[in-house]
PDB file of all heavy atoms in Angstrom:
ATOM      1  N   LEU A  11      22.138  -9.452  15.788  1.00 55.00           N
ATOM      2  CA  LEU A  11      21.418 -10.663  15.390  1.00 55.00           C
ATOM      3  C   LEU A  11      20.828 -10.528  13.985  1.00 55.00           C
ATOM      4  O   LEU A  11      20.142  -9.562  13.686  1.00 55.00           O
ATOM      5  CB  LEU A  11      20.264 -10.930  16.370  1.00 55.00           C
ATOM      6  CG  LEU A  11      20.597 -11.618  17.687  1.00 55.00           C
ATOM      7  CD1 LEU A  11      19.316 -11.921  18.442  1.00 55.00           C
ATOM      8  CD2 LEU A  11      21.364 -12.906  17.451  1.00 55.00           C
ATOM      9  N   SER A  12      21.082 -11.508  13.120  1.00 71.00           N
ATOM     10  CA  SER A  12      20.482 -11.498  11.790  1.00 71.00           C
ATOM     11  C   SER A  12      19.021 -11.907  11.927  1.00 71.00           C
ATOM     12  O   SER A  12      18.593 -12.374  12.987  1.00 71.00           O
ATOM     13  CB  SER A  12      21.202 -12.509  10.899  1.00 71.00           C
ATOM     14  OG  SER A  12      20.891 -13.808  11.372  1.00 71.00           O
ATOM     15  N   ASP A  13      18.260 -11.795  10.829  1.00 80.00           N
ATOM     16  CA  ASP A  13      16.847 -12.177  10.872  1.00 80.00           C
ATOM     17  C   ASP A  13      16.704 -13.638  11.292  1.00 80.00           C
ATOM     18  O   ASP A  13      15.863 -13.983  12.103  1.00 80.00           O
ATOM     19  CB  ASP A  13      16.210 -11.993   9.489  1.00 80.00           C
ATOM     20  CG  ASP A  13      15.961 -10.526   9.212  1.00 80.00           C
ATOM     21  OD1 ASP A  13      16.191  -9.714  10.137  1.00 80.00           O
ATOM     22  OD2 ASP A  13      15.577 -10.193   8.081  1.00 80.00           O
ATOM     23  N   LEU A  14      17.578 -14.504  10.714  1.00 83.00           N
ATOM     24  CA  LEU A  14      17.465 -15.922  11.036  1.00 83.00           C
ATOM     25  C   LEU A  14      17.858 -16.184  12.491  1.00 83.00           C
ATOM     26  O   LEU A  14      17.194 -16.941  13.204  1.00 83.00           O
ATOM     27  CB  LEU A  14      18.331 -16.773  10.083  1.00 83.00           C
ATOM     28  CG  LEU A  14      18.131 -18.282  10.228  1.00 83.00           C
ATOM     29  CD1 LEU A  14      16.681 -18.689   9.976  1.00 83.00           C
ATOM     30  CD2 LEU A  14      19.046 -19.059   9.304  1.00 83.00           C
ATOM     31  N   ASP A  15      18.921 -15.519  12.970  1.00 83.00           N
ATOM     32  CA  ASP A  15      19.315 -15.676  14.379  1.00 83.00           C
ATOM     33  C   ASP A  15      18.163 -15.273  15.289  1.00 83.00           C
ATOM     34  O   ASP A  15      17.891 -15.914  16.301  1.00 83.00           O
ATOM     35  CB  ASP A  15      20.538 -14.811  14.716  1.00 83.00           C
ATOM     36  CG  ASP A  15      21.827 -15.438  14.197  1.00 83.00           C
ATOM     37  OD1 ASP A  15      21.791 -16.645  13.898  1.00 83.00           O
ATOM     38  OD2 ASP A  15      22.826 -14.722  14.077  1.00 83.00           O
ATOM     39  N   GLN A  16      17.505 -14.178  14.912  1.00 84.00           N
ATOM     40  CA  GLN A  16      16.370 -13.721  15.735  1.00 84.00           C
ATOM     41  C   GLN A  16      15.272 -14.769  15.737  1.00 84.00           C
ATOM     42  O   GLN A  16      14.657 -15.046  16.761  1.00 84.00           O
ATOM     43  CB  GLN A  16      15.814 -12.408  15.175  1.00 84.00           C
ATOM     44  CG  GLN A  16      16.779 -11.277  15.329  1.00 84.00           C
ATOM     45  CD  GLN A  16      16.065  -9.951  15.529  1.00 84.00           C
ATOM     46  OE1 GLN A  16      14.919  -9.919  15.941  1.00 84.00           O
ATOM     47  NE2 GLN A  16      16.749  -8.872  15.232  1.00 84.00           N
ATOM     48  N   GLU A  17      15.043 -15.363  14.558  1.00 87.00           N
ATOM     49  CA  GLU A  17      13.987 -16.378  14.449  1.00 87.00           C
ATOM     50  C   GLU A  17      14.311 -17.580  15.337  1.00 87.00           C
ATOM     51  O   GLU A  17      13.412 -18.201  15.890  1.00 87.00           O
ATOM     52  CB  GLU A  17      13.865 -16.824  12.981  1.00 87.00           C
ATOM     53  CG  GLU A  17      12.698 -17.760  12.765  1.00 87.00           C
ATOM     54  CD  GLU A  17      12.596 -18.268  11.333  1.00 87.00           C
ATOM     55  OE1 GLU A  17      13.093 -17.618  10.404  1.00 87.00           O
ATOM     56  OE2 GLU A  17      11.997 -19.351  11.164  1.00 87.00           O
ATOM     57  N   LEU A  18      15.593 -17.884  15.500  1.00 87.00           N
ATOM     58  CA  LEU A  18      15.980 -19.079  16.247  1.00 87.00           C
ATOM     59  C   LEU A  18      16.155 -18.804  17.746  1.00 87.00           C
ATOM     60  O   LEU A  18      16.436 -19.716  18.513  1.00 87.00           O
ATOM     61  CB  LEU A  18      17.289 -19.657  15.675  1.00 87.00           C
ATOM     62  CG  LEU A  18      17.278 -19.987  14.174  1.00 87.00           C
ATOM     63  CD1 LEU A  18      18.581 -20.650  13.758  1.00 87.00           C
ATOM     64  CD2 LEU A  18      16.099 -20.877  13.787  1.00 87.00           C
ATOM     65  N   ASN A  19      15.996 -17.549  18.165  1.00 87.00           N
ATOM     66  CA  ASN A  19      16.190 -17.186  19.571  1.00 87.00           C
ATOM     67  C   ASN A  19      14.975 -17.622  20.398  1.00 87.00           C
ATOM     68  O   ASN A  19      13.848 -17.212  20.112  1.00 87.00           O
ATOM     69  CB  ASN A  19      16.384 -15.660  19.633  1.00 87.00           C
ATOM     70  CG  ASN A  19      16.555 -15.142  21.034  1.00 87.00           C
ATOM     71  OD1 ASN A  19      15.751 -15.428  21.907  1.00 87.00           O
ATOM     72  ND2 ASN A  19      17.600 -14.375  21.257  1.00 87.00           N
ATOM     73  N   PRO A  20      15.182 -18.494  21.424  1.00 83.00           N
ATOM     74  CA  PRO A  20      14.021 -19.041  22.143  1.00 83.00           C
ATOM     75  C   PRO A  20      13.191 -17.977  22.862  1.00 83.00           C
ATOM     76  O   PRO A  20      11.973 -18.093  22.954  1.00 83.00           O
ATOM     77  CB  PRO A  20      14.646 -20.010  23.160  1.00 83.00           C
ATOM     78  CG  PRO A  20      16.080 -19.647  23.248  1.00 83.00           C
ATOM     79  CD  PRO A  20      16.451 -18.993  21.952  1.00 83.00           C
ATOM     80  N   ARG A  21      13.855 -16.925  23.342  1.00 85.00           N
ATOM     81  CA  ARG A  21      13.086 -15.895  24.050  1.00 85.00           C
ATOM     82  C   ARG A  21      12.176 -15.147  23.076  1.00 85.00           C
ATOM     83  O   ARG A  21      11.006 -14.890  23.374  1.00 85.00           O
ATOM     84  CB  ARG A  21      14.013 -14.898  24.754  1.00 85.00           C
ATOM     85  CG  ARG A  21      13.213 -13.830  25.494  1.00 85.00           C
ATOM     86  CD  ARG A  21      14.083 -12.947  26.337  1.00 85.00           C
ATOM     87  NE  ARG A  21      14.993 -12.119  25.578  1.00 85.00           N
ATOM     88  CZ  ARG A  21      14.641 -11.004  24.937  1.00 85.00           C
ATOM     89  NH1 ARG A  21      13.384 -10.595  24.936  1.00 85.00           N
ATOM     90  NH2 ARG A  21      15.531 -10.295  24.283  1.00 85.00           N
ATOM     91  N   LEU A  22      12.729 -14.835  21.890  1.00 89.00           N
ATOM     92  CA  LEU A  22      11.913 -14.113  20.918  1.00 89.00           C
ATOM     93  C   LEU A  22      10.773 -14.997  20.417  1.00 89.00           C
ATOM     94  O   LEU A  22       9.664 -14.521  20.171  1.00 89.00           O
ATOM     95  CB  LEU A  22      12.784 -13.632  19.754  1.00 89.00           C
ATOM     96  CG  LEU A  22      13.865 -12.615  20.152  1.00 89.00           C
ATOM     97  CD1 LEU A  22      14.677 -12.198  18.944  1.00 89.00           C
ATOM     98  CD2 LEU A  22      13.248 -11.393  20.815  1.00 89.00           C
ATOM     99  N   ALA A  23      11.047 -16.312  20.294  1.00 89.00           N
ATOM    100  CA  ALA A  23       9.989 -17.240  19.860  1.00 89.00           C
ATOM    101  C   ALA A  23       8.882 -17.268  20.908  1.00 89.00           C
ATOM    102  O   ALA A  23       7.688 -17.173  20.581  1.00 89.00           O
ATOM    103  CB  ALA A  23      10.561 -18.635  19.653  1.00 89.00           C
ATOM    104  N   ALA A  24       9.283 -17.377  22.189  1.00 89.00           N
ATOM    105  CA  ALA A  24       8.281 -17.427  23.263  1.00 89.00           C
ATOM    106  C   ALA A  24       7.467 -16.143  23.274  1.00 89.00           C
ATOM    107  O   ALA A  24       6.238 -16.164  23.406  1.00 89.00           O
ATOM    108  CB  ALA A  24       8.975 -17.643  24.612  1.00 89.00           C
ATOM    109  N   GLU A  25       8.156 -15.010  23.064  1.00 91.00           N
ATOM    110  CA  GLU A  25       7.467 -13.715  23.074  1.00 91.00           C
ATOM    111  C   GLU A  25       6.478 -13.587  21.929  1.00 91.00           C
ATOM    112  O   GLU A  25       5.362 -13.096  22.104  1.00 91.00           O
ATOM    113  CB  GLU A  25       8.516 -12.604  22.916  1.00 91.00           C
ATOM    114  CG  GLU A  25       8.790 -11.875  24.201  1.00 91.00           C
ATOM    115  CD  GLU A  25       9.913 -10.862  23.987  1.00 91.00           C
ATOM    116  OE1 GLU A  25       9.956 -10.195  22.935  1.00 91.00           O
ATOM    117  OE2 GLU A  25      10.737 -10.796  24.886  1.00 91.00           O
ATOM    118  N   ALA A  26       6.916 -14.060  20.739  1.00 92.00           N
ATOM    119  CA  ALA A  26       6.046 -13.941  19.564  1.00 92.00           C
ATOM    120  C   ALA A  26       4.747 -14.706  19.782  1.00 92.00           C
ATOM    121  O   ALA A  26       3.655 -14.209  19.499  1.00 92.00           O
ATOM    122  CB  ALA A  26       6.775 -14.477  18.327  1.00 92.00           C
TER     123      ALA A  26
END
Side-chain angles (χ1 to χ4, degrees):
L11 279 186
S12 69
D13 284 355
L14 188 59
D15 283 343
Q16 292 212 22
E17 186 183 336
L18 304 185
N19 178 308
R21 180 173 66 78
L22 296 180
E25 255 176 40

